[in-house]
Amino acid sequence: MSDTTSSSDANVFPRDTSGVESTVLPGKDRVINLEAPGTGARDTWKAMGPGIAAAMTGIGASHLMHAPTAGAQYGYALLWIIPVAYLLKYCAFEFAHRYTLVRGESIMEAYERFGKWPLWYLGFQSLANTFGIAGRALGCAALLWAAFPFLPLQVWAVLILVTCVGILWAGKYAALESAVKLAIIVFALASLTAFVLQAPNPTEYMTRLLPTLPPIGAALLFGAMFGYFPTTVEVAPMQSNWAVDKKSGMVRVRELERQGYKVNMAPSYMRNYMKLFKRDMNISYVISMVTGMAFLIVGAVVLNPIGLVPESREMGLTIARIYTDTFGAWIFPVIIAGGVAALFSTVFTYFDGQARIFEECCVRLRRRWDDPQTRQLIYRGFQILWIVAGTAIIFGLPRPIFVVQVASVLALLFSPLLFWMNIKAIKDNFSGPDLEFMPSKFMFAWAWAGMIGLAVISLYVLYLQFLT
């Protein structure tokens, strides 16, 4: 069964975006010749998508909430976590995307071959992530409240949840996407400019890139940063599903074969797709990491000396102060618009990605549910559940930073097993022609080190939180 049968009718990526030229040869065998994609700058931009979408899921909460909070409370003491978290998690996302590119199917197919327990595990994780969606919505609402305080914080947060689902169900995201991307770009440029203007001498923070024990009282934030930077590991199967929709690599080949075609690929077809995939992954990853570190450093420079920490509904005003103190009051609407776009895109992307993970778990556990109508019912039902449960959390615990920190630690605890599943998916399923694209021994060693590192950090956070 392939994820291309997903019934969600308004996805992050349109269904036919491969853009690969093909030649159909007449005859009873119905042969299609697929040309290799180009690898120039325009081709790279066109191919980018799953990597950017994955980065979008983290650039909101981690960058806008955890990084400034860490800088405001502890200066540069937690700066080292950001590059280390990116290094530890890299292979989790790389392996999931590589699997889909080479095997032509979602990595959920590999999970199911382990047995039914991964599906139950992912389904439970999807429900537990309600805290995450509520926290992200609260963060976005705090920015909106800073500009438009005529509605309570909780009302803004619920409106964000409902708006995300409305856009998905109406299939109107394409019309919104350009404006959101533009706002995020402006926001990122403003953030980096603020960093350049406010950045201290590099010697003040470069020495803090060496790992050290977290300061007293920082256990929750320590775990939260490892949970959400660069994003949560459950985004890896989401990224795989988005790659299926992008019809990259062998996904397009498998689709044509199911339609009865014999497919001939150009010699460089897969090699070029691998180049494009790595660029999508690496460019998004590096930009995300650099901006995350910039947020923390600017927070340490501007907020730490005056003892101002982002919290509660004042979070948006506090974060905006980083930039108004640098540029003046005129920058306030720019920062609010960009911050709202960044966090809104995070909420939106999770609403689509996590709902599809839950949908896939359900139809794989109950095969008779695998039809378009039932899939759509599960997909939309999950989103309604998130609105209801998220609203309860929003009104019951209207503290954006705290809720996101709790969700982030939960994500950290889920991450080692999800990481292991991605490693096993590659090792167990690559054979024959796939072996040409098997990760190197170094990559496997890196992956195992990342998985074990996340497991050790998870145990350490539990020890700090409950045993000290």
Side-chain angles (χ1 to χ4, degrees):
M1 179 176 60
S2 170
D3 283 16
T4 56
T5 61
S6 175
S7 67
S8 50
D9 53 7
N11 298 311
V12 172
F13 298 111
R15 287 301 183 190
D16 192 4
T17 57
S18 60
V20 178
E21 293 184 3
S22 60
T23 303
V24 183
L25 301 181
K28 62 180 180 180
D29 292 331
R30 296 209 305 167
V31 177
I32 286 187
N33 293 328
L34 288 180
E35 300 298 326
T39 57
R42 178 179 291 185
D43 302 297
T44 299
W45 174 255
K46 186 176 181 180
M48 292 184 74
I52 292 176
M56 284 167 62
T57 65
I59 204 168
S62 58
H63 292 55
L64 280 172
M65 300 172 80
H66 292 338
T69 300
Q73 286 188 291
Y74 304 106
Y76 308 120
L78 300 178
L79 179 64
W80 67 270
I81 292 176
I82 297 176
V84 170
Y86 274 76
L87 286 171
L88 289 177
K89 292 183 181 179
Y90 180 85
C91 292
F93 305 110
E94 204 273 4
F95 279 25
H97 197 157
R98 179 188 294 258
Y99 179 92
T100 297
L101 191 71
V102 175
R103 294 287 299 166
E105 63 186 17
S106 168
I107 200 169
M108 295 285 291
E109 299 282 355
Y111 294 168
E112 188 177 8
R113 296 183 188 116
F114 304 160
K116 297 299 184 184
W117 65 266
L119 304 177
W120 288 107
Y121 185 77
L122 283 169
F124 174 76
Q125 174 272 326
S126 298
L127 296 173
N129 207 16
T130 304
F131 275 94
I133 206 69
R136 294 177 182 96
L138 278 167
C140 188
L143 291 168
L144 280 170
W145 182 85
F148 308 106
F150 56 83
L151 287 179
L153 173 73
Q154 296 95 321
V155 174
W156 276 123
V158 174
L159 285 175
I160 290 164
L161 297 180
V162 173
T163 300
C164 285
V165 172
I167 293 171
L168 277 169
W169 288 14
K172 301 299 184 183
Y173 181 64
L176 178 71
E177 186 177 30
S178 297
V180 170
K181 283 183 177 180
L182 178 61
I184 292 174
I185 289 171
V186 171
F187 182 59
L189 289 175
S191 303
L192 293 174
T193 304
F195 168 73
V196 171
L197 295 177
Q198 293 279 10
N201 190 306
T203 57
E204 291 187 30
Y205 58 85
M206 291 300 289
T207 57
R208 307 314 292 266
L209 295 178
L210 294 175
T212 58
L213 294 177
I216 296 174
L220 186 62
L221 182 57
F222 175 84
M225 291 179 69
F226 271 111
Y228 264 27
F229 277 105
T231 186
T232 57
V233 175
E234 72 255 16
V235 170
M238 296 184 204
Q239 189 174 355
S240 175
N241 286 341
W242 292 325
V244 169
D245 279 355
K246 194 75 174 175
K247 298 189 187 300
S248 301
M250 291 301 295
V251 176
R252 177 65 171 159
V253 176
R254 299 295 181 230
E255 179 185 69
L256 291 170
E257 288 176 342
R258 286 192 297 271
Q259 295 173 6
Y261 290 99
K262 179 182 178 182
V263 180
N264 295 326
M265 294 178 287
S268 57
Y269 178 83
M270 280 300 298
R271 287 194 296 273
N272 285 9
Y273 262 119
M274 288 295 292
K275 288 179 183 178
L276 294 171
F277 139 65
K278 297 289 281 188
R279 289 175 188 172
D280 179 26
M281 176 87 189
N282 294 340
I283 292 171
S284 303
Y285 217 71
V286 170
I287 292 174
S288 177
M289 182 178 69
V290 170
T291 53
M293 296 174 69
F295 274 113
L296 189 149
I297 292 170
V298 175
V301 171
V302 177
L303 301 180
N304 184 262
I306 59 178
L308 188 60
V309 178
E311 58 184 354
S312 299
R313 67 179 185 177
E314 305 294 333
M315 184 206 87
L317 292 171
T318 303
I319 291 173
R321 182 166 176 176
I322 294 175
Y323 305 96
T324 55
D325 284 3
T326 304
F327 300 103
W330 68 269
I331 200 71
F332 181 80
V334 175
I335 293 304
I336 293 298
V340 168
L343 276 166
F344 182 84
S345 67
T346 300
V347 177
F348 178 89
T349 307
Y350 260 94
F351 253 107
D352 175 71
Q354 195 74 77
R356 287 209 269 166
I357 292 293
F358 188 79
E359 172 194 324
E360 287 301 320
C361 290
C362 290
V363 299
R364 292 167 191 274
L365 288 168
R366 295 289 183 271
R367 291 289 186 176
R368 64 178 180 273
W369 293 348
D370 190 11
D371 62 78
Q373 292 75 25
T374 306
R375 276 179 170 269
Q376 186 180 76
L377 182 64
I378 296 169
Y379 176 83
R380 294 186 171 183
F382 179 84
Q383 292 169 340
I384 292 173
L385 175 63
W386 254 14
I387 289 177
V388 174
T391 299
I393 295 171
I394 286 166
F395 279 92
L397 196 61
R399 297 166 58 191
I401 299 295
F402 177 73
V403 173
V404 170
Q405 286 181 357
V406 170
S408 303
V409 172
L410 287 174
L412 172 64
L413 300 180
F414 278 110
S415 62
L417 183 53
L418 291 172
F419 203 149
W420 173 82
M421 288 161 58
N422 290 352
I423 297 173
K424 185 173 173 59
I426 293 279
K427 289 181 67 69
D428 289 359
N429 291 281
F430 276 33
S431 60
D434 304 339
L435 295 176
E436 180 183 352
F437 305 103
M438 178 75 81
S440 65
K441 291 182 179 180
F442 172 77
M443 285 287 290
F444 273 117
W446 183 0
W448 284 114
M451 188 210 74
I452 293 169
L454 290 174
V456 170
I457 292 166
S458 298
L459 293 174
Y460 182 62
V461 169
L462 291 175
Y463 167 77
L464 290 177
Q465 198 66 34
F466 299 108
L467 299 178
T468 59

